[in-house]
Amino acid sequence: MKLHQQHERLEVTVCDASGSVFDDVNLSGSVFHNVNLSGCSYSDINLSGATVTNANLTGWKVDDVNFAGLSMKKASLRGAAFTECNFDGATIDGIAVSDLLECWQKNKAAA
């Protein structure tokens, strides 16, 4: 099935649409529930204001993203790696990440 320049609301239920391609598509305000998006590739996407709940992001890789204003609650960051990241203004349990890193550097130098 091919849709081109359509302005319709779709309701898709119990459907295998694996391998589908979306290009220059507006899905703002859409709801995804019990959806398997494993192995998908996203490029040039706008997720501002999106809410993700009860998600399995195991093995997820992000590059060149803007997480300004991101709020995470009850998140497991076990095994997470952050490289070349800007933590200005970021906090963990109310403590500035820059303060935590500074403390770690001092303790590392003293050891």
Side-chain angles (χ1 to χ4, degrees), residues 8-22:
E8 300 178 27
R9 180 180 174 271
L10 300 175
E11 185 171 329
V12 181
T13 59
V14 192
C15 176
D16 182 353
S18 56
S20 295
V21 176
F22 297 90

Side-chain angles (χ1 to χ4, degrees), residues 65-97:
V65 297
N66 181 352
F67 282 135
L70 171 73
S71 174
M72 285 196 289
K73 185 176 179 181
K74 297 182 183 178
S76 171
L77 297 175
R78 184 183 59 213
F82 300 91
T83 56
E84 299 180 43
C85 295
N86 178 352
F87 288 104
D88 291 345
T91 62
I92 297 175
D93 289 336
I95 304 168
V97 171

Side-chain angles (χ1 to χ4, degrees), residues 40-84:
C40 289
S41 175
Y42 305 94
S43 175
D44 193 18
I45 59 171
N46 179 356
L47 293 173
S48 59
T51 301
V52 178
T53 306
N54 193 22
N56 180 353
L57 301 177
T58 303
W60 207 41
K61 293 174 179 41
V62 294
D63 184 34
D64 193 20
V65 297
N66 181 352
F67 282 135
L70 171 73
S71 174
M72 285 196 289
K73 185 176 179 181
K74 297 182 183 178
S76 171
L77 297 175
R78 184 183 59 213
F82 300 91
T83 56
E84 299 180 43

